[in-house]
Amino acid sequence: MSNHKITAQGAGVRTEVSAGRHTFVIDEHANMGGQDAGPSPLDYLLGSLAGCEEVIAQLVAREMEFKLNGIQFDVQGTLDTKGLMGDPNVKPYFQKVRIRATVDTPEEESRVKQLQEAVDRRCPVFTLIKAAGVELDAEWTKA
């Protein structure tokens, strides 16, 4: 069992977060009333997805004896803001998340696909987004 805990202090739409020895700022863009002092909550979610997939990929690669030098992620989320503005007919979270991953490896493309499938099954952030019913469009290719 692994426990994770943060503390946070908010003022306006800016939040300062402490996670163990680390601190970070979450803020909204100016058009959402923020000062753009840090990534937005949704930016952090997409970053968490990429970071989690990298961590799980490294773990799975060791298990598969897969030579993995690293992965370059391009992650985009599509959101209909009517949901977060209160429209009950629109989900207030991403409707679609697109992941393009370029894998730095000497392995064959078929092994890259096996790695992706295992990572997508085991990554807590990916599976959480999937469980929310968000459309996921994930494509991993060899560099």
Side-chain angles (χ1 to χ4, degrees):
M1 200 53 89
S2 175
N3 293 313
H4 298 266
K5 180 183 178 205
I6 63 98
T7 57
Q9 177 66 41
V13 295
R14 177 187 170 125
T15 306
E16 297 203 18
V17 180
S18 294
R21 301 184 333 255
H22 308 285
T23 61
F24 56 95
V25 173
I26 299 171
D27 198 6
E28 284 293 345
H29 306 284
N31 67 335
M32 290 292 290
Q35 299 295 314
D36 205 17
S40 75
L42 293 174
D43 293 338
Y44 270 109
L45 178 63
L46 297 178
S48 293
L49 173 59
C52 190
E53 292 242 309
E54 176 70 36
V55 168
I56 299 301
Q58 293 293 339
L59 182 129
V60 171
R62 279 193 296 277
E63 293 172 3
M64 291 175 58
E65 297 182 2
F66 182 106
K67 173 82 169 126
L68 177 60
N69 299 320
I71 306 172
Q72 171 70 42
F73 287 96
D74 178 9
V75 183
Q76 298 175 0
T78 302
L79 172 76
D80 183 341
T81 57
K82 288 184 268 184
L84 63 93
M85 298 308 278
D87 185 333
N89 299 312
V90 178
K91 295 184 287 186
Y93 50 87
F94 290 123
Q95 281 74 43
K96 181 176 184 175
V97 172
R98 179 182 173 268
I99 304 160
R100 294 297 177 262
T102 305
V103 182
D104 182 2
T105 183
E107 301 280 349
E108 296 296 322
E109 198 71 49
S110 62
R111 294 259 295 156
V112 171
K113 184 70 174 160
Q114 289 174 337
L115 177 69
Q116 177 192 353
E117 289 170 355
V119 169
D120 289 349
R121 270 195 316 275
R122 293 170 59 176
C123 174
V125 178
F126 183 94
T127 56
L128 181 66
I129 293 169
K130 184 176 181 180
V134 175
E135 179 186 344
L136 287 160
D137 174 14
E139 182 181 306
W140 290 30
T141 56
K142 183 177 166 173

